[in-house]
Every structure is written in structure tokens, then in C-alpha cells.
Amino acid sequence: MLDKYIQDEFLRLDQRYTAWYQSEETDEIARTRIQESERILKILYALKYNKDAMQNSIGYLAFMASKGK
């Protein structure tokens, strides 16, 4: 179930980045939504791996990169 939430949030993040880029990086609402998705993903990472994303930055970067495929 947690994997489904992670997958959904990554899709949301991708859509939000696309909207922000299409606005030529001027849409502050889109930027705020990106930050919200990033915050949620950090929480989901902590729940899944029982580690704080900021304390395990290499693991978190690998986590983010693996979802970018």
C-alpha cells in the first residue's frame, strides 16, 4: 500500500514540475505544490525505510533517482 502512495506522489510531482516548466518557472502556486510533493515524499521515505531522509541523504537520493525511470 505504501508503494502505491509513493508511486502516486511521484506522478503528482512529475505533473507539477511539468506545469512549472511550462509556466517558464514563474508559477508560484506550481512551485509551492512541488515543495508539498517533495515534503510528502520525504515522509513516505521515512515510513518505508524507517530513516530520516535528511540523515540518510545518499539513500534518499537513490530513492528519488529510482523513481525517475
Side-chain angles (χ1 to χ4, degrees):
M1 184 59 120
L2 189 56
D3 288 335
K4 176 71 172 134
Y5 289 131
I6 291 170
Q7 181 182 11
D8 290 348
E9 196 57 42
F10 266 104
L11 290 173
R12 241 180 256 111
L13 178 63
D14 183 55
Q15 292 167 348
R16 291 171 176 178
Y17 263 113
T18 299
W20 187 56
Y21 289 139
Q22 288 174 347
S23 76
E24 298 179 3
E25 301 176 7
T26 59
D27 185 344
E28 286 305 311
I29 293 172
R31 182 67 191 136
T32 300
R33 289 179 178 157
I34 289 168
Q35 291 169 340
E36 174 79 5
S37 282
E38 290 170 343
R39 184 184 64 77
I40 291 169
L41 285 167
K42 286 177 186 171
I43 292 168
L44 292 171
Y45 174 86
L47 289 171
K48 180 170 181 155
Y49 296 104
N50 200 26
K51 295 181 180 178
D52 179 23
M54 296 300 95
Q55 297 298 323
N56 185 29
S57 58
I58 293 173
Y60 181 68
L61 288 173
F63 168 76
M64 292 294 283
S66 72
K67 302 304 177 189
K69 293 181 182 177

